[in-house]
Amino acid sequence: VISFFLILSMLVDGADHLKAIRSLLPRDIRLDATRLFNDIAKAHRGWALASASNVTSSTILSGLGLMLCGIPGAFLLGFFAGLGELIPNIGPIVAALPALLFTLLAAPDRFPYVAGMFLIVWTIQGYGISPLMMKFSVQLPVLVTIIAVLIFGSLFGILGILVAIPLVADLVVLCHFHT
């Protein structure tokens, strides 16, 4: 929980944190600390950008798919489905449930089309857009992100899944810092 809020805090007002930390450090390591902090902040910004891009692309794809299937409130339901991209792997499935349940109630004859549409969107997002966004913005190989999400998720639950990628990106920054 603390890691999640630290990451969000760094995204919002990282410069203020850097000033406070620098003032506490000995002068001879302040430059290195600034470089390290900036590298970690860059990794967090990349993760935030990739996450926002994934939510946006999933919202557009889901909303258009629901609209083509003739489901009322398509883009609102698509937005909720898109939010699932914030939790890798299982998030999109859970976030699609409101649209699937609404379809069962409002237009049960269209349910197979909506379910098929979500399978197509999940495939495009999960194997195409999301891994590429994470690879280019966070510079982590796709396999590393999948393994990190699985490990952090099994150890720490939903919050572990949310912070897996930024924390692994931090570890990569730390490993490469003095090399």
Side-chain angles (χ1 to χ4, degrees), residues 10 14-15 18-19 22 30-46 170 173 177:
M10 280 183 70
L18 177 59
K19 287 178 192 173
R22 278 181 56 102
R30 286 183 183 174
L31 183 59
D32 283 340
T34 300
R35 278 188 32 239
L36 177 62
F37 189 89
N38 286 337
D39 289 348
I40 289 173
K42 180 181 175 187
H44 290 188
R45 283 191 302 273
D170 291 349
V173 167
F177 183 64

Side-chain angles (χ1 to χ4, degrees), residues 111-173:
F111 183 81
Y113 301 110
V114 171
M117 179 275 306
F118 274 116
L119 285 174
I120 292 168
V121 168
W122 294 334
T123 302
I124 292 169
Q125 277 293 134
Y127 294 106
I129 297 171
S130 294
L132 288 175
M133 288 305 301
M134 288 299 170
K135 179 180 178 184
F136 292 123
S137 61
V138 187
Q139 284 91 32
L140 288 177
V142 175
L143 186 59
V144 171
T145 61
I146 292 170
I147 291 171
V149 167
L150 290 174
I151 291 172
F152 279 76
S154 39
L155 291 175
F156 307 110
I158 296 293
L159 282 176
I161 292 171
L162 287 172
V163 299
I165 295 171
L167 287 179
V168 169
D170 291 349
L171 290 174
V172 170
V173 167

Side-chain angles (χ1 to χ4, degrees), residues 95-114:
L97 289 177
L100 291 168
L101 292 174
F102 181 76
T103 301
L104 273 177
L105 294 173
D109 57 316
R110 296 186 192 142
F111 183 81
Y113 301 110
V114 171

Side-chain angles (χ1 to χ4, degrees), residues 25-32:
L25 297 173
R27 289 188 190 275
D28 59 328
I29 64 168
R30 286 183 183 174
L31 183 59
D32 283 340

Side-chain angles (χ1 to χ4, degrees), residues 34-117:
T34 300
R35 278 188 32 239
L36 177 62
F37 189 89
N38 286 337
D39 289 348
I40 289 173
K42 180 181 175 187
H44 290 188
R45 283 191 302 273
W47 167 74
L49 176 66
S51 296
S53 298
N54 287 334
V55 168
T56 302
S57 62
S58 183
T59 297
I60 291 169
L61 290 173
S62 299
L64 284 173
L66 289 167
M67 185 182 75
L68 291 173
C69 289
I71 303 302
F75 282 98
L76 180 61
L77 291 168
F79 174 70
F80 286 120
L83 287 176
E85 287 295 323
L86 293 173
I87 301 173
N89 303 328
I90 61 164
I93 296 168
V94 173
L97 289 177
L100 291 168
L101 292 174
F102 181 76
T103 301
L104 273 177
L105 294 173
D109 57 316
R110 296 186 192 142
F111 183 81
Y113 301 110
V114 171
M117 179 275 306

